[in-house]
Amino acid sequence: QVQLVESGGGLVQAGGSLRLSCAASGRTLSIYAMAWFRQAPGKEREFVAAITWSGGRTFSADSVKGRFTISRDNAKNTVYLQMNSLKAEDAALYSCAARLKSNSDYAYDRAYAYWGQGTQVTVSS
């Protein structure tokens, strides 16, 4: 089992920045990759970014490229999402996820076996 706990969400003005954190515990040595997804009210869950645990390869959705950066600190078993130039459309519940296998698209949410409870990001215009 892998447990994930997110933090760092909050209220920010449009154009501002936030950094989300996701701390992993449990069988962290089994993790292949971790990702951030988001879901706004009335919308489907959306892939934001992913990072492989060992090699640090990153993948991002087109909607956040150039604004959001995913990174990891293996020593702390923590993944970060630095969000800059936030827009109203970035407001959502952001959830961290972990997968143990590499056999599908990083944006495919069902490939992730473990999920945190999420942290809310609100952007005021």
Side-chain angles (χ1 to χ4, degrees):
Q1 293 288 334
V2 175
Q3 294 79 40
L4 303 173
V5 178
E6 304 97 333
S7 61
L11 173 64
V12 64
Q13 284 190 331
S17 299
L18 278 177
R19 189 176 81 154
L20 306 183
S21 300
C22 175
S25 61
R27 293 179 56 195
T28 57
L29 292 179
S30 300
I31 296 174
Y32 176 76
M34 293 182 66
W36 288 95
F37 288 79
R38 66 187 182 186
Q39 188 168 20
K43 295 188 176 181
E44 292 188 355
R45 185 159 56 193
E46 175 188 21
F47 169 75
V48 178
I51 187 167
T52 59
W53 201 238
S54 60
R57 292 175 61 200
T58 61
F59 309 84
S60 299
D62 288 342
S63 59
V64 305
K65 281 180 179 176
R67 300 189 300 123
F68 292 11
T69 302
I70 189 170
S71 62
R72 88 239 191 267
D73 184 332
N74 292 58
K76 296 182 178 180
N77 290 328
T78 300
V79 169
Y80 304 98
L81 184 68
Q82 178 66 45
M83 306 186 296
N84 299 328
S85 302
L86 282 160
K87 304 176 182 179
E89 53 263 41
D90 294 319
L93 180 70
Y94 284 71
S95 297
C96 175
R99 60 191 288 172
L100 308 183
K101 298 179 181 180
S102 63
N103 57 352
S104 63
D105 188 338
Y106 287 97
Y108 184 49
D109 58 353
R110 294 190 180 185
Y112 293 83
Y114 302 99
W115 291 81
Q117 294 201 343
T119 185
Q120 185 68 42
V121 172
T122 304
V123 183
S124 64
S125 55

